[in-house]
Amino acid sequence: MQPPPQPTPRLRRRLLLAGQILGWLLLAAALWMVLRQQPSLTTAWTSLRAAPTWMVASIILTPILNWLAMGLLFWVLTNQYAKVPLGEMTILMGSAWLLNLLPMRAGLLGRVAYQRAVHDLPVKDSVKITIFSLVTQAVAVAILLTLMAFVHMFEALAPGLRPMRDPIVLSLLLATLAGLTSLPWALGSIPAIKGPAPIDTWRLSLGVAIRFFDALVWTARYWLAFTAIGAPVNWSDAVIFATLSQVIALTPVQFGLREWSTGLLTSILPATRSLGPSASTRAAIGVSADLLCRAAELLISIPVGIVCTTIVLRRLSRAKHHPAPHLP
């Protein structure tokens, strides 16, 4: 049987561009929906203005942790194939963070092109690294969902634990992160995975730990955002929102889809029914919380991305005439 025909590069570019345009339209529609819910918007704005300074600062600054985590992740995975300094990889991921706001995953393509030009890293190896990063994300998300399933199972068996849900969830998440972080040291003596895509076992396990940490940062961001707009959610629900954001990040639609998905989830989750009298009101609250997360991302990613992209372009210009092993 013949394999199904693969889309041509031109068709893929058109599909990615269409997805980006769709995302901007969805984002505009999300803003319009929130503006229509005037009482919810007024409440959210009043709560945000009255929120503690530390909470607002945390909402704005926590995206930096996501950026640093991605720099560390790709540094760990890339050094299987090419020796790239951690600072250089962090700068490269900061540039990709900004460029991914443009159509057709410009940040991903820019990272691959940079590593090919500066470190002579073949495109096929960059593809392997990207696949490994997706594997670590899938495993981290699976662990998160499994933990939350256990929490809900124990709550069903012991309803008296329900008031202690948040401390239990936080303790479980932090204990799991500690366990995942220590696992690579235990796996250091295990032989590397062979085959067409070789990788050290400890690198993959450390990648999972980094992805898990990244998901915990997203969990904190959603908890902070909902709390800041006067619609607090518990930590287990914040985990669900964070997990959803991780899945949405894998799609070509970089804007709008996450906001609408968060709104839809807020409207149907049993734990969020107290946030509003109707599904549309709860959806608007969820969209508002995600828009707050998005605004914080843009506030940080634009200046960080501009600085990092400037450094990357200078490095590319120098490497064209005088190849060097790493960024200064």
Side-chain angles (χ1 to χ4, degrees), residues 8-217:
T8 64
R10 179 177 296 181
L11 177 58
R12 283 198 295 268
R13 287 194 296 269
R14 288 178 178 176
L15 289 175
L16 287 171
L17 180 58
Q20 198 79 0
I21 293 173
L22 174 62
W24 283 107
L25 292 175
L26 287 172
L27 184 61
L31 288 168
W32 176 74
M33 186 191 75
V34 170
L35 292 174
R36 283 189 62 196
Q37 296 283 341
Q38 193 62 41
S40 299
L41 180 62
T42 301
T43 301
W45 178 245
T46 302
S47 298
L48 183 59
R49 292 183 64 184
T53 303
W54 69 265
M55 183 174 291
V56 176
S58 297
I59 292 171
I60 294 173
L61 296 177
T62 42
I64 295 177
L65 295 178
N66 295 119
W67 162 44
L68 297 177
M70 289 303 96
L72 180 60
L73 171 69
F74 277 88
W75 175 72
V76 168
L77 298 178
T78 300
N79 273 261
Q80 178 76 38
Y81 299 95
K83 298 304 178 184
V84 181
L86 177 57
E88 180 176 350
M89 182 58 71
T90 303
I91 291 171
L92 186 55
M93 295 308 295
S95 174
W97 194 12
L98 174 65
L99 295 179
N100 276 336
L101 301 178
L102 303 175
M104 296 181 284
R105 290 282 191 171
L108 171 62
L109 298 177
R111 174 174 60 82
V112 172
Y114 175 90
Q115 291 176 328
R116 178 70 182 88
V118 176
H119 294 285
D120 199 26
L121 182 67
V123 173
K124 65 178 182 178
D125 287 342
S126 289
V127 171
K128 294 173 188 176
I129 293 165
T130 301
I131 293 174
F132 287 138
S133 75
L134 296 178
V135 170
T136 60
Q137 185 173 24
V139 175
V141 167
I143 293 172
L144 268 178
L145 292 178
T146 301
L147 292 176
M148 292 306 101
F150 275 120
V151 169
H152 287 289
M153 181 182 69
F154 280 116
E155 277 190 355
L157 295 174
L161 292 176
R162 200 159 291 168
M164 294 291 294
R165 173 190 287 181
D166 275 359
I168 291 173
V169 169
L170 280 173
S171 300
L172 191 58
L173 293 175
L174 293 176
T176 302
L177 177 61
L180 290 173
T181 304
S182 62
L183 187 59
W185 307 109
L187 297 177
S189 59
I190 295 180
I193 299 172
K194 304 297 184 181
I199 187 77
D200 293 328
T201 307
W202 69 266
R203 291 184 189 274
L204 277 181
S205 61
L206 182 56
V208 171
I210 296 170
R211 282 289 193 182
F212 193 83
F213 170 78
D214 181 62
L216 293 193
V217 174

Side-chain angles (χ1 to χ4, degrees), residues 94 97-98 296-310:
W97 194 12
L98 174 65
E297 285 175 52
L298 294 175
L299 193 62
I300 296 297
S301 65
I302 290 175
V304 165
I306 289 174
V307 172
C308 290
T309 300
T310 301

